Amino acid sequence: MTVLSFDEQGVDVVYQDVEFRLERELIEEAIEKSYPNVTDHEVLKIVDEDPTLTGEPRRIQDIIG
């Protein structure tokens, strides 16, 4: 299971029992969008090659609101 915890500067990730951080700038470069407009599903796709996506994608702006 992958756990994503969002804040204004990036995302804390737990993936296969490994904890790491994706900084805002890295996410913006990878997705080619401004950080607030990136969705949780897009971040999950950076972390996991074949993620199980459930529910509607949510923009980071709405998550950290």
Side-chain angles (χ1 to χ4, degrees):
M1 176 178 186
T2 304
V3 178
L4 305 175
S5 299
F6 297 89
D7 62 39
E8 292 182 8
Q9 301 306 314
V11 182
D12 291 319
V13 180
V14 179
Y15 176 69
Q16 296 183 350
D17 296 324
V18 177
E19 296 180 30
F20 58 95
R21 179 146 179 98
L22 295 174
E23 295 295 332
R24 177 184 184 134
E25 294 81 19
L26 178 88
I27 294 168
E28 288 178 330
E29 286 180 29
I31 304 296
E32 297 180 345
K33 283 186 189 177
S34 66
Y35 183 71
N37 292 314
V38 173
T39 68
D40 56 345
H41 286 191
E42 290 170 320
V43 173
L44 190 55
K45 288 177 186 177
I46 292 173
V47 176
D48 189 343
E49 286 183 9
D50 189 25
T52 301
L53 302 174
T54 59
E56 292 295 316
R58 294 176 54 207
R59 293 183 319 153
I60 292 173
Q61 176 177 325
D62 297 332
I63 294 169
I64 61 175

